[in-house]
Amino acid sequence: WMPSFLAGERVQYIAVGTVDGVVDFSGLSASAIQVSADGDSVVVSLPAPYLTEPVIDTEVSHVMNRDRGLVNRLTGLFLDNPTSERSLVLTAEEKLAAAAAATNLLELTQTNTTAMLVAMLRSLGFEQVEVRFEVAWAHADGASDDTTTTTAA
């Protein structure tokens, strides 16, 4: 064991970033939108929402405090970039992704997408609008199925 003033490093990093919930419309085919024969109702089938990779704003994120022991400072004299923030950014991305996954962001993405489509399609004259999202889930043996959950409005 060595006291921290001799060896060790403690860094406090303030990371500012985003993770977005997305429903990708780019791969939709014409069959994704089914209009009833009387033109009063429509069913829209969409892929499952997903979370984007975290994006850290490096212009705003910064090291708040860095304490380095004497050995670390001396070693740093021989390194190209002894105080590189790359590992801090990678750690922040991991933590941001985990935090986003622990929220209801996917549910909110689905809710907001449904509300937007219902409002838009009703303004075009459809009385009944149904929005369906595909959901992929895994079995205990690792196999997966595609099922559909329906949100009607």
Side-chain angles (χ1 to χ4, degrees):
W1 179 84
M2 240 189 241
S4 61
F5 74 89
L6 286 179
E9 183 172 28
R10 179 171 180 243
V11 180
Q12 292 175 320
Y13 185 71
I14 305 296
V16 178
T18 59
V19 174
D20 295 324
V22 175
V23 175
D24 187 1
F25 287 69
S26 67
L28 293 182
S29 65
S31 64
I33 301 173
Q34 299 292 319
V35 178
S36 65
D38 62 6
D40 287 341
S41 63
V42 62
V43 177
V44 182
S45 298
L46 299 172
Y50 65 91
L51 299 178
T52 61
E53 293 295 318
V55 176
I56 302 295
D57 184 344
T58 56
E59 295 295 317
V60 180
S61 300
H62 62 279
V63 172
M64 184 175 82
N65 186 29
R66 183 184 308 266
D67 294 324
R68 297 186 323 151
L70 182 59
V71 172
N72 296 83
R73 289 175 191 231
L74 290 174
T75 304
L77 295 174
F78 303 102
L79 298 176
D80 287 339
N81 193 356
T83 58
S84 172
E85 294 174 9
R86 182 69 187 140
S87 66
L88 299 174
V89 171
L90 293 174
T91 300
E93 287 174 346
E94 290 172 9
K95 289 186 176 197
L96 188 57
T103 68
N104 68 338
L105 184 55
L106 288 175
E107 181 183 322
L108 187 59
T109 300
Q110 187 168 318
T111 299
N112 289 345
T113 301
T114 299
M116 179 269 302
L117 287 173
V118 167
M120 180 181 73
L121 292 169
R122 283 195 176 148
S123 75
L124 294 174
F126 293 103
E127 293 176 20
Q128 292 261 341
V129 178
E130 185 176 339
V131 180
R132 296 178 179 171
F133 291 89
E134 293 177 7
V135 178
W137 56 277
H139 295 273
D141 63 4
S144 65
D145 286 335
D146 286 331
T147 59
T148 304
T149 181
T150 303
T151 304

